[in-house]
Every structure is written in structure tokens, then in C-alpha cells.
Amino acid sequence: MDNDYDLIVLGAGAVGENVADRAVQGGLSVALVEHELVGGECSYWACMPSKALLRPAQALHAARQVPGAAQAVTGPVDVDAVLAHRDYYASNWSDAGQERWVVNAGIALVRGHGRITGVKEITVAAADGTVTVLTARHAVAVTTGSDPFMADIEGLAATQPWTAREATSVKNVPASLAIIGGGVVATEMATAYASLGAQVHIISRRGLLDGLEPFAGEQVAASLRDMGVDVSLQTDIKRVTRTRQGVEIETTSARVVADEVLVATGRIPRTNGIGLDTLGLTEGDWLVTDDSLQVLGFDWLYAVGDVNHRALLTHQGKYQARAAGDVIVARATGATVHDERWGTHSATADRQAVPQVTFTIPEVASVGLTAQAAEAAGYTIRVVDYKLGRVAGAGVHANGYKGTARMVVDEERQVVLGVTFVGQDVADLLHAATIAIVGEVPVERLWHAVPAYPTISEIWLRLLETYGRPPRNVQR
């Protein structure tokens, strides 16, 4: 094996694969280093298996909202079929297909634990004890991702709690599951396990889906309760103990007993043991970058995806990867670098245009700034709310459709800063909102984007009607 490459990528998840692929397409030689499964968290323990667990519940719920289809639904989801479908989408936890893709893309795959041991130098320790030293002519990209954060709760670690990995790869559904946390993982897994027949308890020290518009968490909490989930909010946990009866959780309001407990209280960077100390950086810290994903203080080191804490979402990490791979090529070949705002080599969207979908029932789809975040950033805003159930297409889509849409408008520039949708199948509304925000499309021009009838997309017309025509006609 040739141990010298133009670029070495540390971590072969979806983000690392995309950095490597863009660089190879640009003419560079690339080594991809991975000690687990090629494809990473998203392929085996996060995006793909979690959505495979959730989709049957969503489809069943949707069918029950349509007269005629509702009468054809005679029972709950088939648990064995759901788990088998999940196994298929997780490739049965085999990365053979991903490995073939890497090889066919012209990327060198190096198996083992990689550690930075010098400037542009990675030492890889393989499982069989073999040690290989790789050197990079131009750059090293750290794409090692993140790990679940274990909350500091008395007795919790000793109970051997589940993390998202166990929750998405379980072979047998427990009769009951307690979930600690109130974010995306917590609410999605509460939805999935309730649909699979488990008695679910969700315990959050705050509300649900904090950081989004408040009505999002409120409507998801109401729906979870309708599904039979015990939702405890503004609740602290004193201690956790595993007994013969299961896991006992003592909270400030009650005692919860469940077969298993899932900890979903956030993420920490996977930067321990990768040699950051060699560079004078602190292991276990997030890596801070500029918008071209270059680590501050280094002209050869890049951090892409979760590890830089810019936006912990697979699609956003892949967006960063495209910018990083291309800019590494540009700098290596002496081409012009476009790292200005919205430039080819800049991950500008990380700042105020991050789209996100929470696949609960109802779905939550959001992009850009919430009203609170926009005000905190100093914008003069107007908030426009509209009930999705009042849109004609929504009534056709689902009987008694319930949901909310919010548009946050920058009144000075009259462009959209943020949009949030809560309701059935709203994920497919999100990209139009993302384009409006990224393109800074004036509200006056949006009046000419006519939504098809009768679809839920008609919500755009209703939001604009509620907002009203701007006082001036903007010519663009």
C-alpha cells in the first residue's frame, strides 16, 4: 500500500465518504480511515434504522385518518415485519456494500483506529495489531462524528442504559421503556416504541423539542399522550437503579419502573483518542472551524460534520463535506477559493438556514430562525401563524387534519428568516421554505410562486395572505 496521499479522511461515515469522494473527483488521492462499519452512525444506528422503525407507525396513522382506508385497517403494526424491514435498511449491519462503493470510487480504505501523530500524519492501528503510518501531502479531515452524552445522574451508568444505538438495533421490543430526554431522539423513539406496543415513559427536565417553536413540542407532547405515552415534563431525575423488576427511576414527581431505559440527552464530540493533544488541542472538545471547515489555527486540518458542532444533522454534514472536499482540491491545485458568504467553498447555510425534520406523529419540519432566535439576533420581525387544517388540501389529505405553520419575516428586508410546520407529512413542505430562505426571496416575489390546488402546499398562499402585501412593490 502507498502510504502517501493528498488527503487523509479520519472517519468513514456519510460525511467522511462525501469529503473523500469530492476530493477524488477533483483529482486528489485519498485514504479513508475507519475502525467500525463504513457508512457510520447514519447507516446503521441513526437515520436509516430509526426512520425504518418510524415509517410503519406514520403510514398506519395516515391510513386511519382517511375514510375508506380507515375501515381497511384492522390491527396494529406487525412488529416482526417492522424489525425485519429495519434490518434491511441497516444492511443487516454489514458494510460490504459500502466498502465496494469506496473501492469503486477510487478511494483507499484503511481499516483500524486512526490517530494524529504529527503534522499531516495519521497512525492507524488495525485489529490484528498491524500499525500503518499514513502521510498527507495537503490535508487531513476529521469526520469522526459524535457520541451520546451520558447524563450525570446517580446510578444511571451502572444500569447499562440504552443509547440511540441500542434503541435502533434492538432485536426484541421490551414491554416498557423509559426515555430520559426531550429532544429529537427521545420523541422519535417514544413514537416508534409506542407503535411497537411498548409502554413508554418520557421524562424531560424541560419541555419537548426545546430550541424549536414552542408549539412544536406542545403538539408532539399532546400526540404522544394520545398514543398512550406517559409524558413527564419539567421533571428532574434523582437516581436510577436496576432491580429484579427492571429499571427504577426516581424523579421529583413520581417513581417510574420500566424494563429498559434510553438516555437521549444530547451528543458529545468523538474526539477522544484521535491525537488532538499532539497538535496542542484538547481531546474530547469540539473542533472549531471557519466556514470552509478548516480548523482555526491550522492550514491543513479540517473538521467536518458533527465533530465541529455547527449542525448535528447528516444532511448538513454532507453539505459541509461537499464544501470541504471541493476547497481542499482548490487549495491543493492552486485554484481560486470561493469561501465568501454563499460561495462554493463556504458552508454558509450552517448559520441561519438549517433544515430539520423530526419524524414524530405529527411531523415537525423547520428551517432557519425561530421567532425567539430572530429577535435575539437583532432582527425586526413579524410572525405569521396559520392553522394547517384550514387549508383545503389538508382536509383531503387527512380527515380532521391538525397542524400549525409559522413564518418569521425580516420586516426591514421583507424576506423569510424561518419557517416551521407541524402536521402530518409536512416534511415535504420543507424544501420550498429552505429555498425561500437561502435565496432570500422577497415576500412580494413569493406571491408569484403559485401552489397547486388542492395540496397542503397551499399553506404558502395562506401565510402570504395573512401577512398581507408589502407596502411597496419590490422589482427583482
Side-chain angles (χ1 to χ4, degrees), residues 105 126 144 214 375 390:
T144 47
E375 287 183 331
R390 293 165 58 191

Side-chain angles (χ1 to χ4, degrees), residues 6 47 51 60 63 99 113-114 170 182 209 211 232 244 290 308 338-339 355 391 439 452:
D6 293 318
C47 316
K51 303 314 169 283
L60 186 61
E99 181 176 0
H113 179 82
V170 66
L209 300 176
S232 299
R244 291 181 179 178
D290 61 18
N308 61 34
H338 297 283
D339 57 357
V391 174

